[in-house]
Structures are given as structure tokens and as C-alpha cells.
Amino acid sequence: LGRAGEVNLMSRLEDALNRFLPDVYAAMADWGITPQPIDFEIVPADAIYEMASYGMPGHFSHWTYGRDFWRMKQQFESGAGRLYEMIIDTEPPVAYLLESNTLAAQKLVVAHCLGHADLFRHHLLAKDQPKQFHQTLASAAERFDHYRQQYGPERLETVLDDALAIQAQVADESGRTPPAVSTSADWPYHDLWPGRESGRTTPPTRYRLPTADLLGFIARFSPVLAEWERDVLEVVRQEGLYYRPRRQIKMIHEGWATYCHQRLLAEVELPPGEQIEAARIHAEVAWPHPLGVNPYWFGWRLIQLLVAERGLLSARAVLLEETDASLVRNYLTPEWMEALDLFEYRWTDGFLMTPEGPQAIYAAERQKMEPDLLRNRLANWLGERPPEIVVEMVDADDRLMLSHTDDGHPLDREWAQLTLEGIRRLWGHPVVLYDDDAQYSA
């Protein structure tokens, strides 16, 4: 097209979306739901891949995000899936639209984002979350750049590697005794820890044990970390806490956003060609996988059934107070399981005679299961959390004693040992982890 043609095409796309936005906002308002205003930005593919791999604008850099960027780029550019949008929970929310999308796809994505934004503002687990957390990460990125220059990229990378390995092992224990953190006056960021006396205090006298806040405990009480290293760990911890509740409502988020785009586009008048294109995209996104649970499809269909039974606003009120697991456990009836054709399967093996001789084959065999058991299996799968590692005590030799909360899933031995070695680097003394009958040490 040339640069002039590209600019003209982009201008026409923006004009079309600006004409569409009042209609789709009005359609949602007719439901009795005030739509949250969203800032939409149309961006090229590489920008949306970068945003999706980093998760937030202005995020600090780490090699894993570059790895995820290239994986995503290769996956989508080879045709194995498509990333239509990326929405960030800020105030107001910011949604990044892929510039190569068709106009019908852009309209579907806009309607989809209205569902996400509604949950950002109103869901019980999300409405009290910080809406400008990206500014916290951007500020941290500036400090990390300073650490990289002063202490070297290898040292910062090692601390980040070890901290990110246990980012999921965090807990909000704000009601406990305030942490003691060493704060040297010559450290340029000492004001981040106001009112904390310098010097490390013995953990048991200042912090209630046991605690599931492994990363926070190490950040506050490690005998060997410098102030800047504690800062790095605390930033990683805060990000882990920020994303923790979001993992509990992923299916509700995608299901509600899919319900919104499907119903809104049915109520807003689209040209026939755009209707067909939007229906095709919806079918690609929300389809029942035969050997798994597609959260877009399952959440959308479950919400449809809930709306049919209770009405739109009453169903939405349920969604705003439930997690994925509790929604399934409390509302998925045997009749709905049958309507959704839910079942559990197991792999069976056998042999098939061919001209070349017998060949091994594998098949998924449908299992007969009581509805209560199937519902609980599904709820447990949706509610599956990262392993909970508990700090039990610090002994007289400064050994850090940890245990894995029994959740029916033993730790992977190789990963557990590698992670424990990273914890030892952060703690500076031997670390012991008990996992039922297994014991790890580093």
C-alpha cells in the first residue's frame, strides 16, 4: 500500500470503530449494566506479542519474557492460533487491538473487552486490586536498570531467576507483625522502607511462623541479601500477589467476555458480511474441545445456562462473587452436565493389525461417573493452585526448614531440587524441604 495507503486504511478503521463504540456501549447499558470506558489502541503484531509476554507496560526485563515473546511470535505467525487483543486492568482499562484484524474481528474484540472491563471493576476479587500497578512495575524497572549498571547484569539476573522461581509461593499476611528490613541510609531507595530499623531481627521473634509467604519471608529475613536484592524480591512478590486472585477467575473472565461479545453483536446491527465473519471468529474461539475443557466455551455455555435460569442481572451477581471452582461446585447441576456433554475419559492402549504388522494405538475411552464426582473433579482442576511451601522454622544454625502442604500432588523431584538450590542462594544458609515422605536439601 505504501505509507500513505497504510495511514488512510488505519484512519478508516479508527473512524469505523468510533462509530461502533456508542452503539455497543448503549447495548450493554440496555442490559442494566453501565459499561466501563476503555482506552483502545490499535497496535502492530510485535507490540501485542511483547505486551502479552511481559504482561504489563513498562515491566522490568528478564530473559524469560524474551523467550515467551519469540515463542508467541513463531506460534502465531506460523498459523497455530491467533492473538486478537490484550487488555490491561488499569483505570481506565487499556485494550490493545491487533492492527491486522478485520473490522468484524475488531468489533468482536471491542465487545469482548467490555466483559473483561466489567469484571475488572465489579468482581469481588478484582475490584480492590490496585488499578495502577503497571506504574509500580515501571518504577521498579527504572531501579532495576540502576542495579544492573551498578552491580552487573549477571548478579541481577541471578537474583531475578531465583525470585521468579518462587513467585507463586507468596501470601498476603498484611495483618501480621510488620517486617524488619535492613535499611542503610546510603542506599538510594531507603525511603521505600520507611520506619524500619536497620539490622536483621531473628525471625521467630518478629514474624509469626509457620507462614506460606516464602518469598516475602526470605526478602525480609535473609541474613545475606543486600538492600537492593530485598527490593528485587519484594517487587517480584508484589507481582505474584497481584496475579494470584486473577488465576482463580480465569474461566469466569473468558466466559463472561465471550458471552458479552456473542450477545452484544447479536443486538447491534452489523452488515451481513461482518455478521458472518464475527460468527466464524466466535466459533473458532468458543468450541468444545473433545479431550479437554476450553475455558472460553465452558465459561460461555455455563453462563448461558445460568442466565436462562436466573435472568441476566441475577446471573451476573453470582459471577461477581464466585471463583471458577466455586461456580462449578455450587451451580453445575447434573442436568447442566448432560446439556454440556461433560465426561471424564481415560487413555486405553491396544494393537491394530496392518500390512506392516501390529501397531500400537491409543484411544480416549469415555468413563461412567457419578455427577457429584465429575463436578468435584472439574472444580478441583479449575481451582488447582501452585504448590504451597510453608516456612516452618529457622533453627539455631540458620537452616531454613520448609514443608510442602499435602494437596495430593507430590513435587517434581528435579524441579524441587533445582528450586531449592535457588532458595539457598537467596537465604545464604542450608535449606531443607519436607514433602510427605520425601526430603530435599540444598
Side-chain angles (χ1 to χ4, degrees):
L1 288 176
R3 182 59 185 163
E6 290 178 0
V7 171
N8 187 41
L9 184 62
M10 186 65 66
S11 178
R12 292 203 304 270
L13 174 59
E14 291 175 355
D15 289 344
L17 289 179
N18 284 330
R19 291 192 301 270
F20 171 74
L21 279 172
D23 294 338
V24 74
Y25 275 112
M28 192 174 203
D30 288 342
W31 299 354
I33 302 173
T34 303
Q36 184 175 6
I38 302 171
D39 286 344
F40 290 99
E41 297 186 19
I42 301 174
V43 299
D46 280 1
I48 206 167
Y49 299 155
E50 181 178 353
M51 195 66 62
S53 58
Y54 278 80
M56 283 274 184
H59 198 287
F60 60 84
S61 61
H62 186 253
W63 65 268
T64 55
Y65 305 129
R67 174 203 63 192
D68 294 344
F69 170 86
W70 283 107
R71 282 181 176 175
M72 196 175 304
K73 182 179 176 69
Q74 292 170 352
Q75 175 186 352
F76 294 138
E77 291 185 355
S78 66
R82 186 177 180 87
L83 184 63
Y84 286 97
E85 48 80 23
M86 175 77 184
I87 185 167
I88 307 294
D89 183 11
T90 57
E91 191 59 52
V94 179
Y96 301 91
L97 310 180
L98 184 62
E99 67 178 8
S100 59
N101 285 341
T102 64
L103 180 57
Q106 301 289 20
K107 291 181 177 180
L108 182 145
V109 168
V110 166
H112 190 87
C113 287
L114 288 184
H116 283 307
D118 182 45
L119 292 184
F120 287 158
R121 173 180 283 181
H122 297 111
H123 194 280
L124 191 64
L125 291 180
K127 65 182 182 180
D128 294 330
Q129 290 287 98
K131 300 302 180 185
Q132 302 300 339
F133 187 67
H134 65 290
Q135 295 179 356
T136 299
L137 289 180
S139 175
E142 292 182 8
R143 300 199 304 275
F144 288 10
D145 286 342
H146 171 73
Y147 302 153
R148 186 176 288 105
Q149 294 174 11
Q150 184 169 356
Y151 305 106
E154 294 82 6
R155 188 172 174 189
L156 174 62
E157 201 79 4
T158 299
V159 174
L160 273 173
D161 285 349
D162 295 337
L164 288 168
I166 53 174
Q167 187 179 45
Q169 279 67 53
V170 294
D172 182 6
E173 298 178 339
S174 54
R176 297 188 172 211
T177 304
V181 178
S182 173
T183 54
S184 172
D186 58 359
W187 182 47
Y189 304 107
H190 69 275
D191 58 322
L192 293 173
W193 309 92
R196 315 281 172 80
E197 70 272 17
S198 61
R200 172 178 167 265
T201 305
T202 304
T205 67
R206 294 299 310 272
Y207 206 84
R208 189 180 306 163
L209 293 175
T211 174
D213 191 11
L214 171 61
L215 184 54
F217 186 87
I218 294 174
R220 294 155 189 169
F221 298 111
S222 169
V224 299
L225 292 181
E227 287 87 346
W228 71 270
E229 292 172 311
R230 298 184 197 278
D231 180 34
V232 171
L233 265 62
E234 188 61 32
V235 168
V236 174
R237 173 181 176 269
Q238 289 297 328
E239 187 179 14
L241 290 172
Y242 177 81
Y243 282 113
R244 187 166 188 166
R246 283 161 169 74
R247 289 194 293 265
Q248 300 178 47
I249 55 174
K250 180 178 180 180
M251 183 267 292
I252 288 177
H253 247 294
E254 299 302 349
W256 178 240
T258 302
Y259 177 88
C260 287
H261 83 230
Q262 187 263 340
R263 179 164 172 173
L264 286 171
L265 293 187
E267 296 176 0
V268 175
E269 291 188 11
L270 297 179
E274 291 183 11
Q275 290 178 358
I276 295 173
E277 173 70 3
R280 182 191 66 78
I281 297 170
H282 171 78
E284 287 182 353
V285 171
W287 63 286
H289 195 287
L291 298 178
V293 179
N294 177 353
Y296 292 83
W297 170 82
F298 181 61
W300 165 58
R301 291 289 288 118
L302 191 57
I303 290 169
Q304 278 189 320
L305 294 170
L306 198 61
V307 170
E309 180 182 275
R310 294 170 171 259
L312 176 62
L313 295 183
S314 295
R316 175 175 172 269
V318 168
L319 299 179
L320 297 181
E321 295 183 350
E322 299 289 344
T323 65
D324 295 346
S326 66
L327 181 66
V328 167
R329 205 179 301 279
N330 295 332
Y331 293 94
L332 185 62
T333 65
E335 293 75 22
W336 288 6
M337 293 183 203
E338 185 174 348
L340 298 175
D341 194 27
L342 297 177
F343 62 91
E344 189 170 67
Y345 67 91
R346 68 180 177 88
W347 289 109
T348 60
D349 55 3
F351 290 94
L352 178 67
M353 293 304 299
T354 69
E356 292 77 22
Q359 291 189 359
I361 60 171
Y362 298 89
E365 184 179 84
R366 186 167 180 149
Q367 302 295 295
K368 291 183 179 180
M369 185 175 294
E370 290 297 322
D372 287 348
L373 182 57
L374 178 58
R375 178 176 54 244
N376 287 335
R377 289 275 183 90
L378 181 57
N380 290 340
W381 175 75
L382 288 168
E384 196 168 276
R385 297 175 297 174
E388 184 175 82
I389 306 299
V390 175
V391 180
E392 298 288 354
M393 64 174 292
V394 178
D395 69 11
D397 297 322
D398 267 342
R399 286 194 309 169
L400 187 63
M401 313 300 290
L402 310 175
S403 66
H404 173 220
T405 301
D406 184 16
D407 58 1
H409 301 285
L411 298 174
D412 180 280
R413 287 184 174 273
E414 181 179 359
W415 282 102
Q417 186 61 47
L418 289 171
T419 305
L420 208 65
E421 291 167 6
I423 295 174
R424 169 158 186 164
R425 284 191 292 270
L426 296 174
W427 183 249
H429 291 279
V431 182
V432 178
L433 169 63
Y434 294 96
D435 179 26
D436 197 12
D437 295 331
Q439 177 179 331
Y440 305 88
S441 59

